[in-house]
Amino acid sequence: MPELPEVQTVVDTLRPKVRGKRVTSVRLNRTDIVQPSGFDLVAQLNDKIIEDVTRRGKKIVFRLNDDQQFYIHLGMTGRLTAETTSAALRPHTHLVLKVADLEVRFSDPRRFGGVFWLGHNASADDRMGPEPLTTRPQQLAKRLAKTTRAIKNALLDQSLIAGLGNIYVDESLFRAGIHPLVPADQLTSDEIARLNRAIKTTLRRAIRHRGSTLRDYMDANGNAGAFQKLHAVYDRAGRKCRRCGSPIERIVVGGRSTHFCPHCQRKR
DNA sequence: GTCCATGTTCTTTA
DNA sequence: CTAAAGAACATGGA
């Protein structure tokens, strides 16, 4: 559920509710969602002030008043919400922070997400590629030239470019008119310029529509996104291409379902 | 029962 | 040695 636009929307809705506020209690229901394992999250978080909440790739980064940092990754099914104490607790709620009159709750049925302590020294940038909203075409070109993998797989690699996932890679490739199986190092500079632009436009539109809700995603206020209604290819196999009317195809690339228009995204 | 899922990391293969 | 491909993780919905 959570790629860059969804994570950005969570941060945008959570930040005003917690920034500058003190964590007055910490309840950790499952210790195995914390990294490094065995770390005493409760002791380290309790009574700290949340100075800021920001996004890096798909990470939700918290900075505390003692200048320590940690991040929450939502994995596939994670939700991070700020709710009143009386709101019903979702199943699989692993962490609850009391912040002012609200509870910040992290729930995640599949537990692919988690809480990652960075402390003073570790950085949220570790093994992360550039932010796609500010990546320049030449920068993307240089990175793509280093791999023979299909462009679909390359764009999913967070160390190549950070924040894209299965939905927005498919949507961006459609907008750029590039077939998902083209080897990354064979894209022309023209195609890369188009791709770079398509990624930015797609992500900005998705953020404007508060992300895509397919099943689990909601922002910190519990609201679903609306961008799924505007998807051109993702989860639209067999339906008509919005541009040319051809049926959208679904193939499997690197174990992930991949959607594209065989007419608008020709393989060379 | 089967297959599939918005993600990442570890292991195996080439 | 390195890059790429595959398996694994855990749960729930169709």
Side-chain angles (χ1 to χ4, degrees):
Chain A
M1 70 184 243
E3 304 180 28
L4 188 152
E6 290 77 34
V7 174
Q8 185 66 55
T9 305
V10 170
V11 167
D12 289 343
T13 47
L14 183 64
R15 186 193 293 118
K17 295 186 165 184
V18 303
R19 186 161 58 176
K21 306 244 163 69
R22 189 176 297 274
V23 177
T24 53
S25 92
V26 180
R27 196 161 76 248
L28 182 62
N29 296 324
R30 278 198 81 110
T31 54
D32 63 355
I33 59 145
V34 178
Q35 290 276 359
S37 60
F39 181 81
D40 192 351
L41 184 73
V42 176
Q44 286 298 324
L45 260 184
N46 199 28
D47 215 34
K48 300 282 170 65
I49 292 169
I50 298 173
E51 293 288 352
D52 208 358
V53 185
T54 55
R55 180 192 58 76
R56 177 71 172 96
K58 300 174 190 171
K59 300 171 178 173
I60 300 167
V61 184
F62 293 78
R63 185 169 55 84
L64 303 171
N65 56 318
D66 60 2
D67 265 341
Q68 298 204 81
Q69 291 189 302
F70 69 96
Y71 70 88
I72 289 179
H73 198 295
L74 299 177
M76 286 274 238
T77 55
R79 301 187 192 203
L80 189 62
T81 56
E83 315 177 56
T84 58
T85 310
S86 58
L89 206 65
R90 309 191 65 80
H92 305 284
T93 296
H94 307 313
L95 177 68
V96 178
L97 309 180
K98 207 155 178 10
V99 178
D101 55 336
L102 293 174
E103 286 187 347
V104 175
R105 299 171 173 177
F106 172 63
S107 65
D108 183 13
R110 286 172 77 176
R111 304 205 302 284
F112 286 178
V115 182
F116 300 78
W117 193 261
L118 295 169
H120 290 292
N121 301 319
S123 165
D125 291 333
D126 187 42
R127 288 176 312 204
M128 294 281 274
E131 283 293 320
L133 290 171
T134 52
T135 299
R136 301 223 265 235
Q138 205 175 21
Q139 191 181 9
L140 182 60
K142 196 176 165 189
R143 294 180 157 260
L144 292 179
K146 287 192 282 203
T147 180
T148 62
R149 283 175 296 173
I151 186 62
K152 161 82 185 203
N153 288 333
L155 293 177
L156 284 174
D157 181 346
Q158 301 300 296
S159 69
L160 196 153
I161 187 162
L164 300 177
N166 214 28
I167 296 173
Y168 297 105
V169 168
D170 283 6
E171 292 296 315
S172 299
L173 287 173
F174 171 80
R175 178 168 274 268
I178 295 169
H179 193 287
L181 289 178
V182 176
D185 63 350
Q186 283 177 29
L187 291 177
T188 65
S189 58
D190 202 60
E191 287 173 318
I192 293 173
R194 248 166 39 221
L195 176 58
N196 195 56
R197 187 172 295 249
I199 290 170
K200 286 180 164 67
T201 305
T202 301
L203 294 177
R204 283 199 208 100
R205 287 184 70 219
I207 292 169
R208 194 177 319 128
H209 293 273
R210 314 184 71 74
S212 302
T213 295
L214 302 182
R215 203 218 279 320
D216 300 297
Y217 168 70
M218 58 170 59
D219 68 18
N221 296 325
N223 295 318
F227 191 66
Q228 68 282 358
K229 296 173 194 159
L230 300 178
H231 289 175
V233 289
Y234 187 84
D235 206 21
R236 296 192 73 240
R239 300 177 60 191
K240 284 183 180 168
C241 173
R242 297 195 153 129
R243 188 185 291 163
C244 77
S246 306
I248 301 300
E249 279 186 24
R250 177 189 177 277
I251 59 175
V252 175
V253 181
R256 312 298 302 280
S257 74
T258 299
H259 315 75
F260 68 103
C261 171
H263 180 260
C264 298
Q265 298 166 265
R266 296 175 307 283
K267 196 154 80 177
R268 305 178 322 272

